[in-house]
Each structure stands twice: as structure tokens, then as C-alpha cells.
Amino acid sequence: MRMVRFLLLVFLAYVIYLVLKSFRSLGRRPQPAQRRPRSSGVMVKDEVCDTYVPREEAIRETIDGKEYYFCSKECHKKFLDRRKNSA
Ligand SMILES: [Zn+2]
């Protein structure tokens, strides 16, 4: 009757596996969205409107090896237009 005992063990292991699995899914309840501020705290200056914006959110443009940051597409466009006109 060794085979029966072996099967019983396998069955038990399976049951334990299922229990553990359901426990884990219980712990995975949808949590209230904790929005960690992912900003590194580095502020960059928008040359167009003189506003400081978090670098992660700024629009970046590299011109002649220098990086420029903008708070919005509008400022980005304005900056490019201005450069075009002055050139
Ligand atoms: Zn701006």
C-alpha cells in the first residue's frame, strides 16, 4: 500500500499549495493607490516663461550641446520659433 500513501502525500501537498496560493491572492487585494512622488526633486528652469519645473515632467530639448527644459509644448514651440527668428 505504499503507492496509496504516496498519492495521499501528493494530494496533501497539492492542498497545501492551493491554500498558500489563496492566502497569497488574499494579500494581493487592490490597495489604495499610493502615489509616491517619483520626482527626484530636481527643478529645471523654463527659459521661456521663467518657471521652474520638475525635470521629470519637463520637455527637454538639446540645442548645440546645451539642454533646455520647458514646462509645456507651447513654451517649447515658442523657444524654437524665437531661435528661428533670431537666426
Ligand atoms: Zn513655460
Side-chain angles (χ1 to χ4, degrees):
M1 290 306 270
R2 253 199 193 167
M3 192 62 188
V4 173
R5 250 171 95 183
F6 174 70
L7 284 176
L8 205 71
L9 266 175
V10 168
F11 177 67
L12 257 175
Y14 182 61
V15 168
I16 289 168
Y17 165 72
L18 281 183
V19 169
L20 286 177
K21 209 173 131 188
S22 64
F23 259 112
R24 220 186 295 165
S25 63
L26 269 180
R28 229 189 296 142
R29 233 175 306 166
Q31 289 175 346
Q34 318 176 294
R35 277 198 51 192
R36 239 180 293 154
R38 74 198 156 85
S39 140
S40 60
V42 178
M43 302 295 275
V44 289
K45 193 182 175 193
D46 177 334
E47 304 271 343
V48 177
C49 63
D50 281 348
T51 305
Y52 284 88
V53 279
R55 196 166 63 187
E56 285 81 3
E57 289 167 31
I59 294 168
R60 194 161 55 180
E61 175 77 38
T62 308
I63 300 163
D64 297 334
K66 193 177 187 300
E67 279 189 330
Y68 296 90
Y69 298 93
F70 307 99
C71 68
S72 63
K73 275 182 195 163
E74 283 72 32
C75 283
H76 181 209
K77 193 178 173 301
K78 242 185 254 180
F79 181 81
L80 294 179
D81 285 348
R82 211 187 273 178
R83 273 187 63 88
K84 222 184 289 167
N85 292 337
S86 67

